[in-house]
Amino acid sequence: MADKYLLRVTAGPGYDPSTHVEVPVNTQNATKINGDYCTTSLQVRVQNYRGLPRNSPQSSPYFSNAPHTHDQYSIAFSFVPHASISASNLVFGNDFDRPIRDRLPPGFGTAFKIVKWAIDPGLDGDVYADKPYLYGPALSSLNVVRVGEKATRSEGKVDLGEAGNPRKVGIEEGADGDGEEWRKETGAPADGGQRKKWALTEANRAKWEWEEGRLYAADFFNPYLDFNEFALKLPGFSLGILSYMDGKDNLRKNHDLRYVMKDKETGNVFFVVVFTLHLKDDVEKDDAEAAKGTTANAGGGFQPQDDDLD
């Protein structure tokens, strides 16, 4: 079934897809997002990538280096908050605009228990709500967090500088410049895994405040979610999500998974990344029409329609 689809990654400063841009996958070209609450530089990598843009590299040097040789994808980013926010309020995870309770595959409950136990104990949410969500504190959910220096401003905009550029082999846990002392004062462990466990405690999170104007870098990755198959492969358990979604009523629909970093208290969104599986037939049809000059997209390439983000 997966060969019917092409993957496309888009990102933007909020939920509105009209503000999103296509993200180049497995390249050194970072996507800059200037939002109301955060300035972000984003890079996405997907192993064995099969998607759009069509000339995208199939892999990245990132996956040839430890500890990423078994990982399936990475969302790496640097960001500067426009206002300070507590570590308990800044969350990272997935959410949806519509109910998914009737589309959850058999075994989802077991899969979620495994994720909570083995991967991200801080993850919480309600997948049966009208607007389902699964969030965890960013400080305990992100695999890597690096604290940088205060960012500079140019013509009223945040300048991420060289520290905000993507790195070929990934971001390392730690700190740079005066960020080293800043991190030490929080008491957060130097090791990423230990920092994640440390941040599960609310009292520890209270010691860390994401500071206005300071540059942070982070990486979120794992070997469990295969975006080419839309399959979840957990320790001792495998769940083919696409095979369930591709039922009679969904055969002509595109499928997406949305990641968001936001303030859970105010709802203010820092950035959004959407992974969408587009039906290959629709993409090829759009390309053919573009080549004939029969669409408004004179430059060619697939453009999402109103129902593409179901």
Side-chain angles (χ1 to χ4, degrees), residues 18-297:
S18 69
T19 66
H20 293 190
V21 297
E22 188 170 67
V23 176
V25 177
N26 293 335
T27 76
Q28 290 302 299
N29 300 320
T31 299
K32 183 77 172 290
I33 302 173
N34 291 306
D36 293 336
Y37 310 104
C38 178
T39 298
T40 307
S41 182
L42 176 79
Q43 187 176 16
V44 173
R45 305 174 180 95
V46 178
Q47 181 67 296
N48 300 316
Y49 185 64
R50 183 177 64 245
L52 305 170
R54 291 185 181 276
N55 60 348
S56 301
Q58 192 172 24
S59 188
S60 163
Y62 175 94
F63 297 112
S64 299
N65 293 273
H68 304 295
T69 52
H70 298 292
D71 288 327
Q72 291 293 323
Y73 71 104
S74 159
I75 303 173
F77 56 95
S78 56
F79 70 102
V80 176
H82 295 174
S84 296
I85 178 173
S86 74
S88 289
N89 283 347
L90 186 64
V91 296
F92 182 84
N94 309 107
D95 58 18
F96 305 83
D97 292 326
R98 300 181 179 91
I100 60 171
R101 49 183 172 260
D102 295 332
R103 298 167 64 185
L104 294 175
F108 178 84
T110 300
F112 184 58
K113 289 179 181 178
I114 294 174
V115 170
K116 284 272 292 183
W117 171 69
I119 302 172
D120 189 355
L123 196 64
D124 196 16
D126 184 355
V127 296
Y128 299 100
D130 288 339
K131 290 190 174 183
Y133 65 94
L134 287 172
Y135 303 138
L139 192 59
S140 63
S141 291
L142 297 171
N143 301 81
V144 174
V145 172
R146 191 171 188 88
V147 182
E149 299 183 305
K150 295 283 281 189
T152 59
R153 282 187 168 272
S154 176
E155 298 181 354
K157 294 184 178 181
V158 173
D159 182 5
L160 297 178
E162 283 302 311
N165 288 342
R167 306 183 184 195
K168 184 177 291 187
V169 295
I171 300 163
E172 296 180 353
E173 188 83 17
D176 298 298
D178 64 5
E180 293 187 24
E181 186 61 29
W182 186 97
R183 180 167 178 146
K184 286 180 182 178
E185 290 178 357
T186 68
D191 175 76
Q194 292 302 313
R195 181 258 309 154
K196 291 179 66 177
K197 293 179 181 178
W198 176 85
L200 292 173
T201 304
E202 187 173 358
N204 288 336
R205 292 198 300 273
K207 303 173 185 177
W208 181 297
E209 183 177 66
W210 302 94
E211 184 183 356
E212 174 186 358
R214 184 172 292 279
L215 176 67
Y216 300 91
D219 196 0
F220 179 78
F221 52 82
N222 68 57
Y224 309 115
L225 185 56
D226 185 339
F227 276 108
N228 287 302
E229 303 290 338
F230 255 41
L232 189 61
K233 301 173 182 179
L234 300 169
F237 187 88
S238 182
L239 188 63
I241 300 172
L242 182 58
S243 61
Y244 180 79
M245 296 173 71
D246 234 359
K248 180 179 179 181
D249 296 333
N250 289 321
L251 186 60
R252 299 305 302 174
K253 286 185 177 289
N254 299 318
H255 308 297
D256 65 73
L257 181 66
R258 182 170 68 195
Y259 285 88
V260 59
M261 191 161 80
K262 66 188 293 185
D263 183 335
K264 72 171 186 178
E265 190 72 21
T266 65
N268 294 339
V269 174
F270 278 39
F271 67 85
V272 169
V273 183
V274 184
F275 293 79
T276 304
L277 285 175
H278 293 285
L279 280 164
K280 187 182 295 185
D281 288 347
D282 289 349
V283 176
E284 292 174 349
K285 179 181 178 181
D286 188 88
D287 286 346
E289 290 178 348
K292 294 177 182 178
T294 58
T295 71
N297 178 29

Side-chain angles (χ1 to χ4, degrees), residues 293-308:
T294 58
T295 71
N297 178 29
F302 182 69
Q303 296 296 312
Q305 305 301 315
D306 290 340
D307 63 349
D308 283 340

